[in-house]
Amino acid sequence: MSALELLAIAPQLILSLAIVLQLLLIAVKRTRVLIQLFTLASLMLAVVSHFAILPALNSQITILFYLDEFAVAANLLILLSAICCALISGSYLKVSFEVDDEFYVLLLLTTLGASLLTISTHFASVFLGLELLSISLIGMMGYLRHRSQTLEASFKYLILSATASSILLFGMAMVYAYSGDMSFAYIQFTYPQVSEQSSPESLHLLAQAGSVLILAGIAFKLSLAPFHLWTPDVYQGAPAPVTMVLATISKIAMFTVLVNFWFLSDQYTDPTLTNILAGLAITSMLAGNLLALKQTNIKRLLAYSSIAHMGYLVIVLIIIAPTSVDLAKQSALYYLFAYCIATLMLFTFISQTSKANKEHDEDEWQHWRGLFWQSPMQGVAIIFALLSLAGIPLTAGFIGKFYLINTAVINQVWWLLASLVVGSGIGLYYYLRIIFMVLAKPQLHSMTQAQVLPTRNMLSHLLLVSFTIALLLFGLLPDLLIDGLYFL
């Protein structure tokens, strides 16, 4: 590899080295505070290293990776989510029966797998990054092994994730059999030279079938309906910081893979695949919002909400001309940012109200009654996070929805646009229910209220305030975020 190629993957190299040093640090001396600080320092260094990789932008790194602006922006969102998880995990795991040093090793492994996925443009690197991400996530989910719900969530994700990976791998094999290449940029639905025993039409069907299987495997990871059935149980059973990782890092990484595969291999030009993906989007938008209506558990509600949000995001992939690719990527990045920040805020608060030594997290949103009056700062943060997810003006979520609508109108996908409007209307109902509960007067002498009052953690308070300012700032001045994402 050349020096420029090594420079291009500097963040991934830093994370890899940090994992090795973590293991050595644990072997020499087990200390909760030191391993947490080392993890945070490694993640911060990986973020700073992005300024050094600017000369390597838009370059191919071997045959496995390609570095562009979209990959860099997605990677920064992943590192931001990992930093937030590392910050809140300390207080969450402090009372755990388990030694939590290896938890941070698994967190860095998960982040490394997701980071590799953002720059992967080859089936081999995608599968390796995906397995690194998935296996590390399974370990994080089952880390609190004294919880029955946690073990159930981990086992369920293990079985279903392995099944989805098998489907994805089979689809890759079918596409490779057609194209003879595993790099996205060289997979095109044009007829290659064929023997007398095979017809171009049959090989084209083979490629389409392979692409459908790949979409099914990615749809599972993104929780797109009807591949969403695992999501609410795993969200509810996993520890709150792990659910945060699953809802942000995993989703961002897999959507980046979908974007690269969809556009680099010209899948968007195939009407059959486009209709299948549009059907997944419509089903996810409607099913996710409708199923969230009756949820009393906030983690299950956010699980169904994430299904709907991933459905919204898929809208940007349905384009009618290559000139819309840049707009689609820009829209996806803005919406991912707004979704990621709001989700981090909610799970930061949930982690505050939960303890690792309990059988399950305190995650009934009815227990948030009167939160605004008991802790105004946290109440305001929760309200703005929910308003952003609902797409209310003056928040970054509204600008993200506006970008999606603009993309849908330009590409004339009216059914998707109608589903977006209907789904957003349904979602507004259950988001407002929680907001009204937060603003309601607290019940006096209520044991339930006393049990879920958040702990006074200055670090979590600082995160909530920072994220709230970000949602408002980029909701009022969206050009700041666009210029920031594309400063490269």
Side-chain angles (χ1 to χ4, degrees):
M1 294 180 66
S2 65
L4 186 64
E5 290 177 330
L6 287 174
L7 180 65
I9 57 173
Q12 290 76 24
L13 293 176
I14 290 172
L15 292 175
S16 302
L17 178 61
I19 292 167
V20 176
L21 295 178
Q22 271 184 327
L23 295 174
L24 292 175
L25 182 62
I26 293 173
V28 173
K29 182 177 178 60
R30 283 187 175 273
T31 166
R32 175 185 295 112
V33 175
L34 185 58
I35 194 70
Q36 183 185 19
L37 291 177
F38 180 82
T39 303
L40 286 169
S42 302
L43 292 169
M44 292 289 189
L45 184 59
V47 171
V48 173
S49 68
H50 281 77
F51 293 99
I53 67 176
L54 298 182
L57 276 177
N58 300 315
S59 61
Q60 187 73 37
I61 306 120
T62 69
I63 62 171
L64 301 177
F65 307 113
Y66 183 80
L67 185 71
D68 61 2
E69 294 89 344
F70 184 79
V72 170
N75 200 27
L76 286 173
L77 285 178
I78 287 171
L79 291 171
L80 171 65
S81 303
I83 289 171
C84 185
C85 178
L87 285 171
I88 68 170
S89 296
S91 58
Y92 182 88
L93 296 171
K94 186 165 56 177
V95 295
S96 171
F97 300 125
E98 307 291 340
V99 179
D100 56 346
D101 297 39
E102 286 81 3
F103 181 87
Y104 295 101
V105 179
L106 291 172
L107 175 60
L108 278 193
L109 284 169
T110 300
T111 307
L112 175 60
S115 182
L116 289 173
L117 286 175
T118 61
I119 60 174
S120 293
T121 57
H122 192 277
F123 283 152
S125 56
V126 165
F127 192 74
L128 290 174
L130 174 61
E131 290 306 294
L132 180 59
L133 170 66
S134 300
I135 294 173
S136 304
L137 262 178
I138 292 166
M140 292 178 72
M141 287 178 193
Y143 202 81
L144 302 180
R145 54 194 174 94
H146 62 278
R147 290 184 176 186
S148 58
Q149 275 190 344
T150 295
L151 292 178
E152 178 186 348
S154 180
F155 188 73
K156 182 174 292 187
Y157 188 77
L158 168 64
I159 299 300
L160 296 178
S161 179
T163 303
S165 297
S166 301
I167 293 172
L168 185 66
L169 190 60
F170 188 36
M172 291 177 178
M174 294 175 72
V175 173
Y176 174 70
Y178 168 81
S179 65
D181 203 297
M182 292 192 290
S183 181
F184 294 168
Y186 298 102
I187 300 171
Q188 297 179 355
F189 281 4
T190 55
Y191 299 141
Q193 296 294 325
V194 295
S195 63
E196 295 180 357
Q197 291 79 16
S198 302
S199 66
E201 291 79 8
S202 63
L203 286 179
H204 190 67
L205 289 176
L206 176 69
Q208 281 188 326
S211 295
V212 169
L213 292 178
I214 291 173
L215 290 179
I218 296 176
F220 171 87
K221 303 294 184 179
L222 290 176
S223 304
L224 293 174
F227 305 97
H228 68 285
L229 298 178
W230 62 274
T231 311
D233 293 336
V234 172
Y235 267 55
Q236 182 181 6
V242 181
T243 311
M244 172 193 288
V245 171
L246 183 63
T248 54
I249 293 178
S250 177
K251 297 293 177 66
I252 294 170
M254 291 310 302
F255 191 79
T256 306
V257 171
L258 179 58
V259 168
N260 289 334
F261 174 69
W262 189 252
F263 290 132
L264 289 179
S265 59
D266 293 336
Q267 304 290 313
Y268 67 92
T269 61
D270 190 299
T272 302
L273 296 177
T274 299
N275 291 334
I276 291 174
L277 197 59
L280 291 175
I282 293 172
T283 306
S284 300
M285 285 185 273
L286 298 180
N289 284 307
L290 288 172
L291 292 171
L293 288 175
K294 288 192 174 183
Q295 302 301 318
T296 59
N297 184 290
I298 184 61
K299 289 166 78 175
R300 293 184 72 88
L301 185 146
L302 291 176
Y304 286 116
S305 172
S306 72
I307 295 168
H309 284 287
M310 291 302 107
Y312 299 152
L313 262 174
V314 171
I315 291 177
V316 304
L317 302 179
I318 313 301
I319 63 174
I320 57 178
T323 53
S324 299
V325 171
D326 288 339
L327 176 61
K329 290 185 175 182
Q330 188 180 68
S331 302
L333 282 177
Y334 204 107
Y335 197 85
L336 278 173
F337 174 84
Y339 167 78
C340 180
I341 295 299
T343 303
L344 290 176
M345 291 172 68
L346 290 170
F347 280 106
T348 297
F349 178 76
I350 293 171
S351 299
Q352 281 186 276
T353 62
S354 307
K355 296 296 181 184
N357 60 351
K358 295 183 179 180
E359 176 59 27
H360 56 81
D361 292 330
E362 297 288 350
D363 47 16
E364 296 292 323
W365 60 264
Q366 290 93 337
H367 295 171
W368 294 2
R369 182 182 182 89
L371 174 65
F372 175 79
W373 308 102
Q374 299 173 58
S375 181
M377 187 278 296
Q378 291 172 316
V380 168
I382 293 300
I383 290 171
F384 275 108
L386 293 169
L387 289 176
S388 183
L389 288 176
I392 300 300
L394 304 183
T395 64
F398 170 74
I399 303 299
K401 285 273 180 71
F402 175 80
Y403 269 100
L404 296 186
I405 292 173
N406 182 44
T407 305
V409 170
I410 289 175
N411 293 284
Q412 302 176 17
V413 284
W414 307 117
W415 281 106
L416 288 171
L417 181 59
S419 300
L420 170 64
V421 173
V422 172
S424 298
I426 298 172
L428 185 61
Y429 172 76
Y430 58 79
Y431 290 131
L432 288 179
R433 278 200 307 171
I434 304 176
I435 291 174
F436 291 153
M437 185 63 68
V438 171
L439 292 173
K441 288 292 184 181
Q443 297 175 353
L444 298 178
H445 310 294
S446 169
M447 291 300 297
T448 302
Q449 297 296 318
Q451 291 171 359
V452 298
L453 278 177
T455 55
R456 300 297 177 181
N457 187 319
M458 188 58 66
L459 184 59
S460 297
H461 281 40
L462 181 61
L463 284 174
L464 290 175
V465 170
S466 302
F467 289 149
T468 303
I469 293 173
L471 284 181
L472 287 174
L473 178 64
F474 296 123
L476 294 171
L477 302 170
D479 287 345
L480 289 178
L481 181 58
I482 293 300
D483 293 340
L485 291 174
Y486 280 86
F487 74 101
L488 313 160

